[in-house]
Amino acid sequence: NYTFVNDALCRYFGVKRTKLLGARVFSQTSMESVDNFIKACELISYDHPVTTIEIKLAISKKEIAFHQWIIRGLFNDVNEIVQYQGVGRDITERKKAEEERERLILELERTNSELKKLSKMKDDFLSIASHDLRSPFMTISAIADILLKEGELGKKYTRYIEMIKSNSTVQLKYVNDILDVIKLETGKIKLDEKQNNINKTITYCLENHSIIAHKKGINFSSHIKTNRILKYDEAKIIQVLNNLITNAIKFTPSGGEVSIWCFENKAKEIEIHIKDNGLGIPENHIDKIFQIYEPIHTEGTQGEPGSGFGLSICKNFIELHGGSIGVSSKPGAGSDFYFSLPIK
């Protein structure tokens, strides 16, 4: 029973001191609180005179409070407990915060579990898409090649087969770009960096595009000023070069010029420029061309199509290597796309 209470406890329960003195501890709230308090007191002994407990108090039908109590036993000369002293603190707000934290943790765990399931579904889709979306176009292109080699189709049907092959190649490029975008956004693309000769890599790309440039009547030149051995993922850098060279040819009219420059800059990086004197880029498009989902015009001077994803893929590939990419362009005066690779 209470033998002494301070003003704070009286105010807390909203009762007068005379009503609390002599009453059973916490009897004005619930028997559960009384039982918990008694159990805590029973843990006190001469060797362990102090204990700390947390109890839930039913202040009213609608209000629940949480208290933390430090209870000390007072002993007589023969080590018998004659009185308990307790100091309590209202920890309701703290408990509510802890409960909210626990709720949020559980919610976060459920969300993480769902995200893992979705991530696995995305991975499964990507695995299936990589095969099933590419396969038809690769098959069509292969069959078209076989038919063209037959040489007995006549001009009319040969032209039809060439159109089939051309369109299947374009569609395969679209599919590959879309799959690359998905892989980049899900962090599934990893670099396979090895020591490579940048001169040989650029030359390989130039040889692949020289025929296309010649067919369109474009003067194609290279100015490679270094023979550096660098550590990079050659397949990714070839993809970047192919994309930038293809774009330069695509947006340059017949009779125009496309040139590739490669040199070591003052920052001790390898810097590569793909320049053309073609259509150029409107100023309001400069900031958008490397973004994935910005709709900009991608049709070439002879109606060549494009997926619109190529430059954003280039940007991601170069940044994965620790380099940077940019463009300088004016409408009607051509473009200079450039990127750098660290020497490592």
Side-chain angles (χ1 to χ4, degrees):
N1 298 334
Y2 291 117
T3 59
F4 170 81
V5 293
N6 66 358
D7 293 339
L9 194 66
C10 296
R11 288 194 302 270
Y12 191 82
F13 288 123
V15 295
K16 294 181 179 179
R17 189 188 307 273
T18 54
K19 187 175 180 180
L20 285 178
L21 290 175
R24 198 174 190 189
V25 172
F26 297 137
S27 58
Q28 69 281 1
T29 59
S30 68
M31 284 305 300
E32 181 184 1
S33 301
V34 176
D35 292 340
N36 289 336
F37 198 86
I38 291 173
K39 288 176 182 177
C41 290
E42 290 173 346
L43 296 174
I44 294 175
S45 65
Y46 185 78
D47 294 327
H48 301 284
V50 179
T51 189
T52 301
I53 64 166
E54 291 183 5
I55 58 176
K56 182 169 66 174
L57 302 178
I59 304 301
S60 66
K61 289 183 178 180
K62 294 183 179 180
E63 186 179 0
I64 298 293
F66 292 90
H67 273 202
Q68 182 186 69
W69 280 80
I70 300 173
I71 308 167
R72 175 186 294 275
L74 299 181
F75 299 86
N76 59 19
D77 294 339
V78 291
N79 298 335
E80 294 175 336
I81 296 178
V82 294
Q83 194 177 53
Y84 297 98
Q85 290 181 343
V87 179
R89 175 180 298 174
D90 189 324
I91 58 169
T92 303
E93 291 305 314
R94 192 191 81 186
K95 293 295 287 186
K96 286 181 178 178
E98 288 175 354
E99 289 176 356
E100 178 64 11
R101 185 187 65 185
E102 291 298 320
R103 186 190 69 79
L104 291 173
I105 289 173
L106 289 173
E107 185 67 27
L108 183 61
E109 288 175 350
R110 284 195 292 268
T111 302
N112 284 340
S113 178
E114 289 299 316
L115 287 174
K116 286 179 181 177
K117 290 179 182 177
L118 290 173
S119 180
K120 186 178 183 305
M121 289 172 62
K122 188 180 287 185
D123 289 345
D124 291 344
F125 165 76
L126 195 57
S127 177
I128 294 169
S130 294
H131 177 268
D132 290 359
L133 290 179
R134 287 187 176 114
S135 184
F137 299 112
M138 293 172 70
T139 302
I140 292 169
S141 183
I143 293 172
D145 279 335
I146 292 170
L147 291 172
L148 289 171
K149 288 177 181 178
E150 291 294 323
E152 299 178 359
L153 298 171
K155 290 184 179 180
K156 178 180 178 181
Y157 293 107
T158 297
R159 178 57 182 155
Y160 290 159
I161 300 299
E162 287 175 346
M163 290 171 63
I164 290 171
K165 178 176 171 57
S166 175
N167 280 283
S168 65
T169 301
V170 169
Q171 293 304 315
L172 180 59
K173 175 68 167 58
Y174 286 163
V175 169
N176 286 332
D177 283 352
I178 291 169
L179 291 174
D180 280 341
V181 168
I182 295 172
K183 288 177 182 177
L184 285 165
E185 291 192 337
T186 55
K188 299 300 179 184
I189 284 188
K190 305 296 180 184
L191 296 181
D192 180 20
E193 293 184 296
K194 296 178 181 177
Q195 297 294 334
N196 295 288
N197 186 312
I198 191 65
N199 190 330
K200 290 182 179 179
T201 301
I202 295 172
T203 301
Y204 170 80
C205 295
L206 292 175
E207 289 173 352
N208 287 340
H209 288 82
S210 60
I211 295 175
I212 300 172
H214 178 73
K215 282 184 177 180
K216 196 173 178 180
I218 292 173
N219 183 30
F220 203 43
S221 63
S222 64
H223 310 271
I224 303 173
K225 307 296 183 180
T226 181
N227 203 36
R228 269 280 190 177
I229 302 297
L230 303 178
K231 189 177 181 182
Y232 56 89
D233 186 326
E234 188 172 36
K236 301 291 188 298
I237 297 304
I238 286 174
Q239 189 170 341
V240 171
L241 287 167
N242 284 345
N243 197 296
L244 296 178
I245 295 170
T246 298
N247 281 352
I249 295 171
K250 174 177 163 183
F251 293 111
T252 301
S254 179
E257 295 183 1
V258 172
S259 60
I260 292 83
W261 299 73
C262 178
F263 54 89
E264 187 174 325
N265 63 24
K266 293 180 180 179
K268 298 300 179 182
E269 301 171 319
I270 293 300
E271 192 169 315
I272 300 171
H273 290 249
I274 293 87
K275 301 180 181 181
D276 67 70
N277 61 352
L279 299 180
I281 304 168
E283 187 176 349
N284 61 334
H285 285 174
I286 292 289
D287 294 334
K288 300 177 181 179
I289 58 174
F290 292 109
Q291 298 176 27
I292 293 177
Y293 299 114
E294 287 290 348
I296 60 174
H297 180 71
T298 58
E299 190 174 278
T301 58
Q302 294 183 358
E304 301 98 323
S307 67
F309 294 131
L311 290 176
S312 63
I313 293 170
C314 290
K315 181 176 185 292
N316 277 279
F317 283 176
I318 294 301
E319 289 178 351
L320 280 174
H321 281 83
S324 60
I325 189 169
V327 62
S328 174
S329 182
K330 289 184 179 180
S335 301
D336 176 8
F337 279 88
Y338 52 87
F339 66 88
S340 63
L341 293 173
I343 298 173
K344 54 183 178 179

